[in-house]
C-alpha cells in the first residue's frame, strides 16, 4: 500500500515511527506492506515512488527544518494539492494541525485525494466540523474510503466502539467528555476552588491548553467531535451549525461549589439525543463520566443493553498515530487485504 | 441469509424478537434479509425452507412446550446434528445453555455446521473453554466464519472493543471483571460485612446465582472468558488448562475488611499478561474496574495509549441477543454484504 503523508508534525512523525516498529507484524498478521511515497510539511515535500526512509525524513526535518532537504527527493515548489492529484499513492494521510477557524486547506487536500481515486485518513477535524456530509458524499461518489478515528479520543477507539454498539442494538443517547483542556480547568476549579481565569492560566502553563484556548473553552472542539459521532456512528448528517453550543468561559466558582455540594462535578458534556448539544453539566461523583483531566469518556445508552461506557486517554501524538494505523488497516481490509 | 437456530430459551427467543423488530432497518442499512429456516429446542424442531414465523414458534413453545408443535413443520425424531448437516442454512446460531461441565453436545453442533459449510454464531461458551484453538482450525479448514460476541459481556461489545485496540496499538495486559455472581457476592460482603455463605445465599435468592454456583464462585466462568479473549483478541491459543485459577469460595470476611481499610475492594479479576490467571484481587476504590455488581468491566493496557476501559452490563437474554445480531452482521459483511 502506497501512502502519501501530508503534514510532518508530532502525529505524522509518530505515525512513520510506528510503521517502522510494527513493520514485521503488519506483514505477518495483515499482509500489509506500507510504502511512504511522499511526505509534505509547511515548507516543502519529499517524493519517491520506490519509498522514503523514515530515518532520512526525520534527519532532514531535524537538521534543516523540512523534508524538502531529503537528498535527491526534496522539492519546495510543487503545491500540496498538485502533489496529491499526481501521486500514485493508494491512500493519503492528512496530519496537518486542526485549525477549526480555517478548514479550507485540509478540505482541499481531501477533494484532490478523492477526485484522483485515493482513500484518505485524517487526524484534522476542522473540515469535518463544517462539511462532513459533503465529504462523505464526495468519497462515496469517487468510491474511496474516508476514516478519521484519531479526531475523537486519540488512541482510545471511541468511534469504532460506538459504531459497534449501534450494529446489534439501537443508540438512544450519547454523552461524552471529549476535551482535556476544559476537563482540566473544571477539575482544578473543583479541587482548589480556583477562579476560571487562574485555572485557565495554569492549564496554559502546564501545556494542557493552547495559547489561544478559545476552541476548547467555548466548546467548539467538543462540538466538532459530537458532529463526527453523529455523522459516523448514527448516520445522521450534521455540521457545527446543528449543535446547540455553550462553553465554560468565565464559569463562576459558585456554580462549581454548588455542584460539589450536591456531590457532583461540573463537566463540559457533549450530548446527542434528538438534538446535538454541548454545555457544562453536572455529573454525579462516581458516574463513569466523572473522569480525571487527562481522560476522555463516552457513555452510549442502548435501547436494550442500557449504558455502556468507554474511558481512555484522549490525546497525544503517539496515541493518535495508533488511531491512524487502525484506519489504514480498516481501509486495507476494504481494499481486500486481510483483517 | 438463511439461519438455523439451535436452542429456543431466553436468548434464542429474544434473538427472533429482535430480528422482527429490526427487520426494516436491517434491510435498509445492511441489505440483510434474515430467514429462519429451522429452530430446535430440547424436545424437537421446526423446519421450513421458506421460513418460519416468530409468532408461530413462540405460540408453539408457550402452548405446547416445544417448537415441534408448529403445525406442518414440527418434528420430534430428527437429531439436531442431522438437522444441521442436512439444512440448507447459511448460518447456525447455537443458543443452548453454557454447561461448562458438558461441552460435547454444542461441540458436536459446531462440527456438523462447519463440515457442511455453515458459519456459526454461539452464545454457548462451554466448547470454547476446552477447544477454542481446535474449533478455529476446523472453521478455517472449512472456510467458514465463527463468532461468539455474546459469550463475553452480553450486550457490551467487549471482544470487538479489545480486538480494535489491538489493531493500531499493542496490548500489554488485560484485566477484567466478567462475572456478575461473584461481583455481587463480594460487593455484598464489602457493604454489609456479611459472611461468604450468607452473601451467596442472597445471590441465589435474588436470582444472581445459579442453583449450582460452582462455575461462578470457583472462577471457571471468568477463566472461560479469559480464554476466549486470549484466542480471539491476542491470537494466543489457549484452553482452560492454561489458566492459573483460584475462586472466591469461602473467602474470609477479614480479607474483605482489610482491603476496605486500604480503600480497596476485593474483586474476582481475570488477567492476561505473560500468563492467564483468575483470582481475587484488590482494586482501588475509584479504579475503572471498581464497578457495581451488575456491570462487567475490562481494562486493556496498550503500549502506546495506556489504559483504556470499557464498562457495561454483562448479562441478560435480550442484551445477549443484540450480540448475536452483531455477529450475524459481521459474518454478513465477510460474506460480501454491506457493512
Amino acid at each position: 500500500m502506497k501512502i502519501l503523508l501530508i503534514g510532518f508534525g508530532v502525529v505524522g512523525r509518530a505515525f512513520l515511527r510506528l510503521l517502522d516498529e510494527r513493520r514485521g507484524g503488519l506483514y505477518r498478521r495483515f499482509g500489509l506492506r506500507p510504502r511512504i511515497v511522499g511526505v509534505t510539511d509547511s515548507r516543502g515535500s519529499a517524493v519517491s515512488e520506490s519509498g522514503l526512509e523514515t530515518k532520512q525524513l526525520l534527519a532532514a526535518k531535524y537538521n534543516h527544518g523540512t523534508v524538502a532537504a531529503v537528498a535527491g527527493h526534496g522539492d519546495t515548489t510543487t503545491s500540496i494539492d498538485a502533489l496529491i492529484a499526481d501521486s500514485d499513492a493508494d491512500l493519503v494521510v492528512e496530519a496537518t494541525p486542526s485549525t477549526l477557524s480555517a478548514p479550507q486547506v485540509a478540505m482541499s487536500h481531501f477533494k484532490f485525494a478523492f477526485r484522483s481515486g485515493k482513500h484518505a485518513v485524517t487526524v484534522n477535524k476542522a473540515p469535518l466540523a463544517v462539511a462532513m456530509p459533503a465529504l462523505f458524499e464526495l468519497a462515496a461518489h469517487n468510491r474511496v474510503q474516508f476514516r478519521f478515528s484519531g479526531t475523537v479520543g486519540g488512541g482510545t477507539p471511541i468511534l469504532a466502539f460506538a459504531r459497534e454498539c449501534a450494529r446489534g442494538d439501537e443508540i438512544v443517547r450519547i454523552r461524552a467528555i471529549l476535551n482535556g483542556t476544559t476537563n482540566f480547568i473544571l477539575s482544578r476549579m473543583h479541587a482548589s476552588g480556583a477562579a476560571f481565569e487562574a485555572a485557565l492560566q495554569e492549564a496554559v502553563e502546564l501545556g494542557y491548553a493552547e495559547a489561544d484556548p478559545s476552541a476548547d473553552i467555548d466548546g467548539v472542539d467538543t462540538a466538532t467531535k459530537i458532529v463526527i459521532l453523529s455523522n459516523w456512528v448514527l448516520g445522521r448528517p450534521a455540521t457545527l451549525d446543528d449543535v446547540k453550543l455553550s462553553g465554560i468561559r468565565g464559569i463562576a466558582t459558585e456554580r462549581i461549589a454548588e455542584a460539589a455540594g450536591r456531590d457532583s462535578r461540573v463537566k463540559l458534556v457533549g450530548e446527542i439525543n434528538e438534538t446535538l448539544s454541548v454545555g457544562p453539566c453536572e455529573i454525579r461523583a462516581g458516574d463513569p463520566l466523572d473522569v480525571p483531566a487527562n481522560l476522555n469518556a463516552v457513555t452510549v445508552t442502548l435501547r436494550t443493553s442500557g449504558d455502556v461506557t468507554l474511558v481512555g486517554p484522549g490525546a497525544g501524538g503517539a496515541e493518535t498515530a495508533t488511531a491512524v494505523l487502525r484506519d489504514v488497516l480498516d481501509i486495507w481490509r476494504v481494499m481486500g487485504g486481510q483483517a
Side-chain angles (χ1 to χ4, degrees), chain A:
Chain A
M1 180 191 265
K2 288 169 285 182
I3 297 174
L4 176 60
L5 173 61
I6 307 299
F8 203 49
V10 175
V11 175
R13 296 196 295 269
F15 176 60
L16 291 202
R17 278 194 211 97
L18 184 65
L19 286 185
D20 278 2
E21 268 170 45
R22 306 251 332 246
R23 195 161 290 275
L26 289 175
Y27 184 62
R28 273 195 308 277
R29 178 148 172 218
F30 303 103
L32 177 69
R33 262 196 239 258
R35 194 203 308 168
I36 302 301
V37 297
V39 177
T40 75
D41 57 33
S42 57
R43 291 171 55 193
S45 59
V47 171
S48 166
E49 274 193 35
S50 60
L52 296 160
E53 296 282 332
T54 302
K55 221 167 29 184
Q56 282 184 295
L57 290 161
L58 291 172
K61 186 78 179 172
Y62 183 76
N63 295 319
H64 305 281
T66 173
V67 294
V70 172
H73 300 292
D75 175 58
T76 57
T77 57
T78 316
S79 82
I80 294 180
D81 286 344
L83 203 68
I84 293 172
D86 297 341
S87 167
D88 67 342
D90 303 299
L91 182 147
V92 172
V93 173
E94 157 59 58
T96 61
S98 293
T99 309
L100 288 170
S101 56
Q104 298 81 1
V105 176
M107 181 86 93
S108 175
H109 298 161
F110 297 140
K111 287 184 182 164
F112 278 89
F114 295 163
R115 287 183 186 144
S116 60
K118 297 175 183 70
H119 309 292
V121 170
T122 185
V123 299
N124 185 332
K125 57 188 171 296
L128 303 182
V130 293
M132 200 159 173
L135 285 167
F136 273 15
E137 213 171 294
L138 193 63
H141 178 75
N142 289 285
R143 297 168 184 274
V144 293
Q145 299 291 319
F146 184 36
R147 294 289 188 283
F148 28 76
S149 295
T151 59
V152 183
T156 304
I158 289 179
L159 293 179
F161 152 73
R163 201 164 145 118
E164 183 70 16
C165 285
R167 286 165 67 86
D169 210 327
E170 192 187 328
I171 294 179
V172 177
R173 184 171 81 152
I174 295 177
R175 301 184 84 203
I177 313 287
L178 296 168
N179 180 271
T181 305
T182 50
N183 205 20
F184 175 86
I185 292 170
L186 293 167
S187 297
R188 286 303 295 154
M189 291 178 72
H190 173 81
S192 71
F196 173 80
E197 289 299 339
L200 170 59
Q201 187 55 37
E202 196 180 343
V204 172
E205 279 161 16
L206 291 172
Y208 275 101
E210 315 272 333
D212 177 5
S214 305
D216 292 326
I217 63 181
D218 293 334
V220 181
D221 176 73
T222 299
T224 297
K225 292 163 179 170
I226 287 294
V227 162
I228 294 169
L229 282 161
S230 175
N231 284 279
W232 179 243
V233 175
L234 301 177
R236 274 166 52 182
T239 69
L240 267 188
D241 289 341
D242 300 309
V243 185
K244 202 181 138 201
L245 183 62
S246 60
I248 63 157
R249 190 185 287 270
I251 192 167
T253 48
E254 291 74 20
R255 176 140 183 216
I256 312 290
E258 281 166 25
R262 288 186 282 268
D263 199 24
S264 294
R265 321 272 177 260
V266 176
K267 301 263 181 200
L268 185 66
V269 175
E271 179 160 349
I272 306 180
N273 41 43
E274 292 77 38
T275 59
L276 311 185
S277 61
V278 172
C281 293
E282 287 191 22
I283 301 290
R284 298 279 300 175
D287 185 285
L289 288 181
D290 177 21
V291 288
N294 59 326
L295 297 185
N296 277 198
V298 56
T299 296
V300 177
T301 303
L302 298 169
R303 185 167 302 284
T304 302
S305 293
D307 283 359
V308 178
T309 300
L310 179 58
V311 176
E319 291 84 346
T320 303
T322 68
V324 174
L325 181 53
R326 278 192 276 113
D327 284 346
V328 168
L329 286 168
D330 210 22
I331 292 176
W332 176 238
R333 175 171 61 190
V334 178
M335 285 170 66
Q338 294 163 239

